[in-house]
Amino acid sequence: MEVVINTTVTFENLLESTARVSQHIGGTRSGKTYAILQFLIVRGLESAQTITVVRRTIPSLKRTIIKDFTDILKSLGVWNDNDWNITDRTYRLGDSIVQFINSDDPEKLRGLKSDILFVDEASEIDEESFFQLSIRTTGRIILSYNPTVSPYHWLRQMQDCDRYITTYKDNIYLPIEMVRAIEELQHKNPKQWTIYGKGEFAANDKAIYTFEVVENYEAEFVAFGLDWGYSQDPTAVVAIYKNGDNLYLEEILYEKGLVLKDISDKLNKLDITKSEEIWCDSSEPRSIEELYRMGFNAKAVKKGPDSIKFGISVMQNHKLHVHKKSQNLINEMYSYQYATDKHGYTTDTPEGGLDHLLDAARYVAMMRLTQKATNKGKYVISIR
């Protein structure tokens, strides 16, 4: 049976690439993910392959990748309900197997074997997870992501790979209304236009923090910070260490959909003792009390007027270092920036959004790193 595929330039890039690893960096609506799935389907139909498709979470797999994969097969007239194993999330494609894996389950990564690996939104996974996937892949590795990651991200540091940049202009099937919406970014938001319209990396000249990525350091533990999340935002936990004016930050937890029992289980695996403080967002006093009753030294941060600006200023009084494995924290550090007013001028108010781990770090800064906190418990007298 012959099938005809209408695809985009990303499909051709994959055919031309000679490197084992290829990165496909695209602005919004460039059609890169859809074309990569088409390429994988063709390879699976041509010869027996074990193809692994990865995204960070199960919901994102179902919402995007699996839906597009199903739509493509149905449009080609080769979809068969009997070939789909909904429990294992695998599809038998001729003599090939396509398996859909979430990377936030480390045990699954260690049991995989693949001929071809595709990681969608590769910027969502850390370098260790990618390493575990890559050493279990005998053939090609395909990575796709938007150019929103920092210069310190492992994807941008990678060598020996082919890199391809695509934009909405490479997607000839895009509706004209969507094209106009994207092109309006040229005037509405020049930075977003650079990233999502032109598919290019953009320097962040409004960044709130400057920082260094490190691997090894010697410092004393200060405390943990915790920012609550659930469906829309992740629960974020960060560990803070101090050596003189240097602060060292490590990402401990960054995950959506966690209930309190899940958080407790994950913290227990870190062997956190009752003597180690966990400064929590005070918006959920019940959760803080329950976490305390579970055996953790959970405390509510005290927020006063302009507490965000105050916490930022405390952080800025130190030299900041982030552990190289703290990928989400690095992304937040790079992206966290001051807002602009309606005239385009930079203000002293930070933009909200990608700041969950940074909020957690700020709680520790406010409660443990101010002059008042440092001198707590001391009484100073002068003797003449």
Side-chain angles (χ1 to χ4, degrees):
M1 181 179 78
E2 281 191 1
V3 294
V4 177
I5 294 178
N6 296 317
T7 189
T8 63
V9 69
T10 296
F11 192 96
E12 297 173 13
N13 291 337
L14 286 163
L15 291 175
E16 294 173 0
S17 177
T18 57
R20 180 180 183 235
V21 179
S22 61
Q23 293 192 11
H24 301 267
I25 308 157
T28 187
R29 299 296 179 177
S30 67
K32 61 186 184 301
T33 300
Y34 202 86
I36 292 169
L37 289 173
Q38 290 176 317
F39 176 81
L40 296 176
I41 289 169
V42 169
R43 284 289 181 261
L45 290 172
E46 287 177 338
S47 61
Q49 309 268 357
T50 298
I51 300 170
T52 301
V53 181
V54 178
R55 274 206 67 169
R56 187 167 182 269
T57 66
I58 292 174
S60 60
L61 268 174
K62 292 179 178 179
R63 187 174 60 250
T64 57
I65 297 296
I66 293 176
K67 180 182 182 301
D68 285 347
F69 178 81
T70 303
D71 289 345
I72 293 170
L73 289 182
K74 287 181 177 179
S75 70
L76 296 175
V78 295
W79 171 267
N80 188 331
D81 288 337
N82 296 326
D83 291 328
W84 173 238
N85 186 321
I86 193 170
T87 303
D88 296 336
R89 292 190 297 280
T90 61
Y91 187 83
R92 179 165 291 282
L93 184 65
D95 294 326
S96 298
I97 290 292
V98 183
Q99 52 187 353
F100 299 89
I101 304 296
N102 53 302
S103 65
D104 57 2
D105 186 346
E107 294 306 314
K108 285 188 177 180
L109 304 187
R110 287 169 169 76
L112 287 174
K113 289 184 179 179
S114 310
D115 296 309
I116 303 176
L117 170 67
F118 168 40
V119 184
D120 189 40
E121 298 298 345
S123 57
E124 295 180 343
I125 73 169
D126 57 54
E127 191 171 9
E128 175 62 24
S129 296
F130 172 71
F131 173 73
Q132 295 296 334
L133 289 164
S134 65
I135 62 175
R136 291 166 174 79
T137 302
T138 59
R140 296 187 63 169
I141 297 175
I142 303 167
L143 308 173
S144 75
Y145 60 98
N146 291 321
T148 54
V149 298
S150 78
Y152 308 101
H153 199 285
W154 62 270
L155 284 166
R156 293 185 66 176
Q157 302 296 317
M158 183 184 289
Q159 300 178 6
D160 300 324
C161 66
D162 286 338
R163 286 185 171 88
Y164 300 95
I165 296 177
T166 54
T167 73
Y168 70 100
K169 291 183 177 180
D170 295 304
N171 186 355
I172 60 175
Y173 309 104
L174 200 62
I176 187 64
E177 295 80 12
M178 202 165 290
V179 171
R180 289 171 181 163
I182 295 170
E183 292 182 341
E184 284 178 359
L185 291 173
Q186 295 180 71
H187 314 291
K188 290 183 176 180
N189 192 320
K191 181 181 176 182
Q192 287 192 0
W193 166 247
T194 299
I195 296 170
Y196 297 110
K198 298 167 68 176
E200 299 174 0
F201 295 105
N204 193 353
D205 54 0
K206 297 184 291 182
I208 292 174
Y209 297 121
T210 57
F211 67 101
E212 178 186 13
V213 176
V214 296
E215 185 169 6
N216 301 306
Y217 57 87
E218 293 183 3
E220 292 186 1
F221 176 74
V222 178
F224 295 103
L226 187 154
D227 191 52
W228 305 106
Y230 185 62
S231 58
Q232 299 299 317
D233 297 326
T235 297
V237 179
V238 65
I240 308 292
Y241 302 82
K242 190 175 186 295
N243 186 344
D245 291 334
N246 296 281
L247 285 188
Y248 299 89
L249 286 67
E250 282 194 33
E251 174 185 329
I252 301 300
L253 178 63
Y254 192 87
E255 191 171 340
K256 293 180 181 179
L258 299 182
V259 296
L260 202 58
K261 178 64 166 56
D262 299 325
I263 298 171
S264 173
D265 290 344
K266 291 179 180 292
L267 294 180
N268 272 320
K269 289 181 180 180
L270 301 171
D271 295 324
I272 296 175
T273 67
K274 189 76 172 182
S275 64
E276 295 171 320
E277 296 175 334
I278 305 176
W279 289 100
C280 309
D281 182 0
S282 56
S283 64
E284 296 194 21
R286 179 175 176 177
S287 296
I288 296 171
E289 178 62 26
E290 290 185 13
L291 197 61
Y292 182 83
R293 295 185 185 186
M294 290 175 175
F296 299 98
N297 191 8
K299 299 181 177 181
V301 65
K302 296 179 176 63
K303 298 179 182 179
D306 288 330
S307 62
I308 294 178
K309 292 180 182 178
F310 174 66
I312 288 172
S313 68
V314 177
M315 296 271 288
Q316 289 173 331
N317 285 335
H318 297 80
K319 297 175 183 177
L320 302 178
H321 311 267
V322 180
H323 194 277
K324 65 174 293 187
K325 290 187 177 180
S326 301
Q327 198 59 69
N328 294 297
L329 180 54
I330 291 172
N331 291 344
E332 287 193 11
M333 276 279 191
Y334 180 72
S335 302
Y336 196 45
Q337 64 183 26
Y338 290 111
T340 54
D341 62 20
K342 63 181 180 180
H343 303 294
Y345 294 107
T346 302
T347 69
D348 62 350
T349 302
E351 288 183 356
L354 195 62
D355 52 8
H356 316 294
L357 288 160
L358 293 180
D359 281 350
R362 181 168 51 80
Y363 302 152
V364 176
M366 290 190 297
M367 303 309 298
R368 290 296 310 275
L369 299 176
T370 63
Q371 192 67 39
K372 182 177 180 181
T374 303
N375 291 331
K376 187 176 181 180
K378 299 178 182 178
Y379 186 78
V380 181
I381 61 173
S382 297
I383 301 176
R384 290 184 291 180

